[in-house]
């Protein structure tokens, strides 16, 4: 019987102790913020939306290889021989047209593994976090600025160049072979 | 084994022979809020008393182990984050130290200290969630808000050092991903000063609350030998009075340099190994973690934390089993390498899975409401149970 009342007493006493904590808490500043109206400034390193500075991208595909979830898709076309594609901000010469640079933010796992291998610092994670959409397909961000016509033109040119190169190579090989044959032809009678 | 504090006679069914009774099968979860995720427990109940409990797992299975075989060594690290998503730093640490030991890689001193600091901060964050959700399971809503207020401070610190709040990908092979920014050390020390008095607040509001003690003491007792036989580890095992902590008994990283106590359950409120003991071990461990953080920050050397990060990870052929103490217990990574770019096999011995396996042994004879207390005290994370 005594224990019964003791339990009741202890329950009330410890509840009052707990209430004391909540009472004290009443006079502290609120830690919550009214989000859409008040926004927290995120630290510089915050890993939110990915951003690519296309002027700096040299199309080395290091980020594509580093991505553990394959959310980056890059396509490049080689630039012409005397075509000047400009320089990146750290002075590296661009040699490739980056005709496609797609990042699917729906797939992205925000690990920032793509940021570190980039030789020019073109790809980075920004503290921008408000990019929710109604449609998942809009999360696919296209960074390349080439129009489809330009791409097909560049591809056509690359194909032609490749063909020309292949033809030149084949001709060279043929010439070499013929030369060899001729040399062998002249050699053969001598050895006999 | 005493399973419940309610006298046996109270459960005796006084039913006439003519009345037919039968066991009821009850499915608890996977949407039940107190199962901490997507755990389903199939209960066989005799009235209010459980006769058998069978955990059904696999709702969150993501093929981590198979997936790890198809990505490079470094790319596995973001996936280890997602095992135990409440204590990602500790998961990273286990896998990374395993690889470093295979590669015989020396790690920069500053990076080692930073690793310990973030791991212990994450341990505090994880134990805070354990505390808060445990109170929530029992029916105390207020402590939940208090612990989240303080956990938020830790997440802010993490956000500052690595940019992410939950899935960090911070600890890398050979070092860490980012060096600590200016003033971070002072901020962590500030947090330590802030946090110490808060533990008393949790104790006042929840730990020594009579109603909470009545709900948890003498409930779900795991005797030490049962715990060991089922492979229970971490705070759940220490709650049963087993003095075993990998940080002290099998030191990894630089834990052997720090002075801290290993907390064990003593049965202060009831029996040794009851749910209150497991809960209390977590509360006391947070204080020890703060101690470790203080020591590590005191001796934080200057230097470049990324100095020893290799460009390419080349793991020599061989196998290694690395075990570390995460907030849930002994996390083991069994890594097999064939010398190529990708792991041949990464097997995870996950503490939450092994801790959960003791449930069928403890559950029979307790009430359904007490089962909630037991699951909460084991502090499982389903991401790690299912992997």
């Amino acid at each position: 019987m005594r224990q019964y009342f003791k339990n009741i007493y202890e329950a009330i006493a410890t509840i009052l102790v707990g209430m004391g904590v909540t009472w004290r808490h009443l006079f502290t500043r609120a830690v919550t913020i009214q989000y859409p109206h008040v926004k927290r400034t995120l630290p510089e390193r915050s890993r939110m939306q990915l951003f690519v500075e296309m002027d700096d991208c040299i199309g080395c595909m290091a980020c594509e290889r580093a991505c553990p979830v394959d959310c980056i898709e890059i396509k490049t076309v080689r630039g012409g021989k005397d075509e000047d594609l400009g320089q990146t901000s750290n002075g590296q010469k661009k040699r490739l047209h980056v005709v496609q640079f797609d990042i699917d933010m729906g797939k992205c796992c925000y690990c920032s593994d793509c940021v570190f291998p980039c030789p020019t610092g073109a790809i980075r994670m920004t503290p921008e976090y408000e990019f929710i959409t109604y449609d998942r397909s809009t999360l696919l961000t296209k960074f390349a600025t080439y129009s489809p016509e330009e791409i097909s033109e560049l591809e056509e040119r690359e194909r032609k160049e490749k063909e020309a190169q292949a033809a030149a190579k084949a001709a060279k090989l043929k010439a070499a072979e013929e030369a060899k044959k001729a040399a062998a032809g002249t050699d053969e009678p001598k050895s006999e | 084994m005493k399973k419940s504090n309610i006298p046996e006679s109270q459960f005796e069914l006084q039913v006439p022979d003519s009345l037919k009774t039968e066991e009821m099968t009850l499915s608890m979860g996977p949407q039940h809020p107190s199962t901490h995720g997507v755990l389903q427990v199939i209960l066989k109940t005799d009235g209010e008393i459980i006769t058998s409990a069978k955990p059904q797992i696999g709702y969150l299975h993501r093929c981590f182990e198979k997936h790890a075989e198809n990505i490079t060594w470094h790319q596995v690290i973001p996936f280890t984050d997602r095992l135990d998503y409440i204590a990602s730093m500790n998961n990273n640490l286990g896998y990374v130290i395993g690889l470093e030991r295979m590669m015989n890689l020396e790690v920069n001193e500053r990076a080692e200290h930073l690793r310990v600091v973030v791991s212990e901060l994450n341990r505090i964050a994880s134990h805070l969630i354990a505390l808060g959700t445990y109170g929530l399971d029992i029916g105390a809503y207020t402590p939940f808000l208090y612990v989240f207020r303080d956990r938020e401070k830790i997440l802010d610190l993490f956000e500052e050092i690595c940019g992410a709040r939950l899935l960090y990908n911070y600890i890398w092979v050979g070092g860490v991903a980012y060096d600590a920014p200016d003033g971070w050390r002072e901020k962590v020390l500030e947090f330590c000063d802030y946090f110490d008095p808060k533990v008393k607040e949790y104790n006042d509001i929840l730990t020594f609350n009579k109603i909470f003690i009545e709900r948890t003491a003498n409930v779900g007792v795991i005797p030490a030998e049962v715990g060991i036989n089922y492979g229970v580890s971490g705070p759940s095992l220490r709650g049963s009075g087993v003095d075993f902590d990998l940080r002290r008994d099998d030191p990894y990283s630089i834990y052997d340099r720090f002075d801290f106590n290993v907390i064990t359950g003593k049965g202060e409120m009831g029996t040794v190994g009851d749910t209150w003991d497991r809960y209390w071990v977590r509360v006391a461990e947070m204080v020890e973690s703060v101690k470790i953080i203080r020591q590590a920050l005191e001796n934080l050397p200057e230097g470049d934390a990324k100095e020893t990060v290799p460009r390419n990870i080349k793991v020599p052929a061989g196998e290694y089993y690395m075990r570390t103490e995460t907030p849930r217990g002994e996390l083991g990574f069994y890594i097999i390498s064939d010398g190529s770019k990708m792991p041949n096999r990464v097997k995870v011995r996950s503490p939450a899975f092994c801790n959960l396996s003791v449930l069928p042994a403890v559950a029979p004879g307790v009430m359904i409401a007490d089962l909630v207390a037991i699951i909460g005290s084991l502090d499982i994370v389903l991401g790690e149970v299912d992997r």
Side-chain angles (χ1 to χ4, degrees):
Chain A
M1 194 63 177
R2 220 182 129 184
Q3 185 64 35
Y4 179 77
F5 284 110
K6 202 182 158 214
N7 278 350
I8 292 176
Y9 165 73
E10 275 180 10
I12 294 170
T14 49
I15 283 175
L16 285 179
V17 169
M19 293 293 240
V21 174
T22 46
W23 179 255
R24 276 198 300 280
H25 186 259
L26 209 59
F27 303 105
T28 55
R29 270 184 69 202
V31 289
T32 46
I33 52 168
Q34 300 297 320
Y35 161 60
H37 310 294
V38 186
K39 278 173 195 168
R40 206 166 66 92
T41 43
L42 298 187
E44 216 181 315
R45 280 180 191 173
S46 279
R47 302 193 326 229
M48 306 290 161
Q49 197 166 24
L50 273 169
F51 177 74
V52 185
E53 183 63 57
M54 279 318 284
D55 290 343
D56 282 356
C57 181
I58 54 167
C60 65
M61 307 216 178
C63 50
E64 194 186 356
R65 277 196 302 276
C67 183
V69 289
D70 297 335
C71 75
I72 306 175
E73 213 179 324
I74 305 175
K75 228 186 242 167
T76 56
V77 175
R78 203 181 301 164
K81 253 179 197 161
D82 11 75
E83 195 176 8
D84 187 21
L85 287 170
Q87 280 188 342
T88 62
S89 54
N90 64 353
Q92 209 158 338
K93 215 172 168 203
K94 290 174 77 170
R95 292 173 200 286
L96 299 166
H97 291 279
V98 185
V99 292
Q100 188 193 358
F101 200 122
D102 296 352
I103 297 180
D104 193 344
M105 290 313 287
K107 278 188 199 165
C108 178
C109 72
Y110 303 90
C111 63
S112 87
D113 270 357
C114 53
V115 176
F116 293 95
C118 185
T120 58
I123 187 165
R124 61 173 191 267
M125 296 212 113
T126 55
E128 182 57 48
Y129 58 92
E130 288 168 323
F131 55 100
I132 42 164
T133 56
Y134 283 107
D135 190 359
R136 223 177 299 163
S137 62
T138 48
L139 287 171
L140 181 80
T141 329
K142 292 182 196 299
F143 288 98
T145 47
Y146 291 82
S147 67
E149 293 80 40
E150 281 176 312
I151 295 171
S152 56
E153 202 175 284
L154 282 168
E155 273 172 352
E156 182 71 11
R157 198 188 65 192
E158 195 191 29
R159 196 177 58 80
K160 271 185 187 155
E161 253 174 34
K162 262 188 189 160
E163 262 173 20
Q165 259 178 3
K169 209 175 178 186
K172 219 175 175 183
L173 268 177
K174 216 175 177 185
E177 223 164 68
E178 262 167 24
K180 216 176 180 183
K181 236 182 214 170
T186 51
D187 277 354
E188 259 172 60
K190 260 186 191 171
S191 63
E192 261 184 13
Chain B
M1 194 170 90
K2 201 180 173 194
K3 283 154 190 163
S4 172
N5 58 341
I6 300 161
E8 289 283 318
S9 60
Q10 203 175 321
F11 306 147
E12 272 170 24
L13 290 171
Q14 306 284 329
V15 279
D17 292 340
S18 55
L19 202 67
K20 215 177 128 202
T21 63
E22 56 181 19
E23 278 189 339
M24 186 170 70
T25 307
L26 190 70
S27 162
M28 184 173 154
Q31 281 91 20
H32 197 284
S34 74
T35 51
H36 291 226
V38 280
L39 171 69
Q40 186 185 20
V41 189
I42 305 286
L43 302 174
K44 289 243 166 65
T45 56
D46 182 3
E48 180 77 358
I49 308 303
I50 292 163
T51 54
S52 88
K54 198 175 154 210
Q56 298 276 334
I57 58 169
Y59 287 100
L60 204 56
H61 182 59
R62 289 151 301 171
C63 299
F64 166 76
E65 289 171 15
K66 190 69 196 163
H67 198 64
E69 292 168 21
N70 297 305
I71 45 180
T72 60
W73 291 105
H74 183 82
Q75 286 175 342
V76 177
I77 298 174
F79 288 99
T80 60
D81 279 337
R82 286 152 176 80
L83 295 178
D84 175 358
Y85 43 76
I86 294 175
S88 299
M89 290 286 188
N90 291 278
N91 290 343
N92 288 355
L93 191 67
Y95 172 74
V96 162
I97 291 184
L99 285 192
E100 277 162 8
R101 291 202 179 165
M102 288 176 92
M103 296 159 73
N104 283 325
L105 197 73
E106 279 288 316
V107 181
N108 179 290
E109 275 291 302
R110 186 177 168 85
E112 288 275 30
H113 280 79
L114 282 176
R115 281 178 180 189
V116 168
V117 172
V118 292
S119 306
E120 292 306 315
L121 276 176
N122 211 333
R123 190 183 307 275
I124 295 175
S126 168
H127 282 347
L128 282 177
I129 286 211
L131 254 64
T133 53
Y134 191 44
L136 206 59
D137 291 347
I138 303 290
Y141 188 77
T142 318
F144 179 73
L145 300 172
Y146 279 70
V147 299
F148 265 70
R149 175 195 64 193
D150 298 336
R151 178 174 176 265
E152 201 69 10
K153 291 207 184 310
I154 299 178
L155 297 193
D156 285 347
L157 288 172
F158 283 151
E159 194 175 24
E160 213 159 293
I161 196 169
C162 73
R165 294 172 71 79
L166 195 65
L167 305 163
Y168 310 110
N169 184 22
Y170 179 63
I171 297 172
W172 280 8
V173 176
V176 290
Y178 301 88
D179 206 336
D182 294 339
W184 192 77
R185 178 174 174 272
E186 285 68 35
K187 275 185 188 164
V188 178
L189 285 172
E190 209 175 278
F191 170 78
C192 290
D193 295 337
Y194 164 85
F195 187 72
D196 271 336
K198 293 293 166 204
V199 176
K200 191 186 171 290
E201 215 166 75
Y202 310 143
N203 288 343
D204 281 348
I205 206 166
L206 184 65
T207 314
F208 296 119
N209 186 295
K210 185 70 184 165
I211 300 165
F212 179 72
I213 292 170
E214 286 292 313
R215 279 296 308 273
T216 53
N218 287 322
V219 172
V221 177
I222 305 177
E225 68 272 12
V226 172
I228 293 170
N229 287 347
Y230 275 89
V232 176
S233 55
S236 303
L237 183 66
R238 287 194 283 278
S240 304
V242 182
D243 192 9
F244 179 70
D245 189 322
L246 284 171
R247 286 177 293 170
R248 186 198 59 195
D249 298 329
D250 184 10
Y252 52 92
S253 190
I254 50 167
Y255 273 108
D256 46 348
R257 298 186 204 167
F258 301 122
D259 173 37
F260 62 98
N261 301 325
V262 175
I263 312 292
T264 51
K266 301 210 169 54
E268 282 158 64
M269 295 296 156
T271 327
V272 176
D274 58 10
T275 53
W276 193 88
D277 269 0
R278 289 196 282 280
Y279 168 86
W280 175 245
V281 165
R282 294 201 175 89
V283 177
E285 237 174 45
M286 293 197 297
V287 181
E288 298 302 317
S289 289
V290 171
K291 257 194 221 169
I292 297 177
I293 293 170
R294 281 226 173 88
Q295 291 171 45
L297 285 177
E298 225 163 74
N299 309 323
L300 184 70
E302 292 295 315
D304 180 15
K306 295 195 75 174
E307 189 188 0
T308 42
V309 177
R311 261 194 112 72
N312 290 311
I313 300 175
K314 284 204 187 77
V315 185
E319 47 189 70
Y320 196 82
Y321 179 71
M322 182 65 216
R323 52 181 192 166
T324 52
E325 182 81 24
T326 70
R328 308 205 192 277
E330 178 189 326
L331 175 72
F333 279 102
Y334 183 48
I335 306 164
I336 305 179
S337 163
D338 53 4
S340 67
K341 279 198 295 186
M342 296 174 193
N344 192 311
R345 180 95 168 86
V346 180
K347 160 87 180 92
V348 184
R349 185 260 185 223
S350 81
F353 175 74
C354 296
N355 290 357
L356 181 63
S357 70
V358 82
L359 191 66
V362 187
V366 303
M367 303 240 245
I368 295 176
D370 287 344
L371 185 78
V372 170
I374 295 171
I375 294 175
S377 75
L378 287 171
D379 188 23
I380 48 168
V381 166
L382 266 293
E384 195 175 52
V385 172
D386 296 338
R387 294 192 291 287

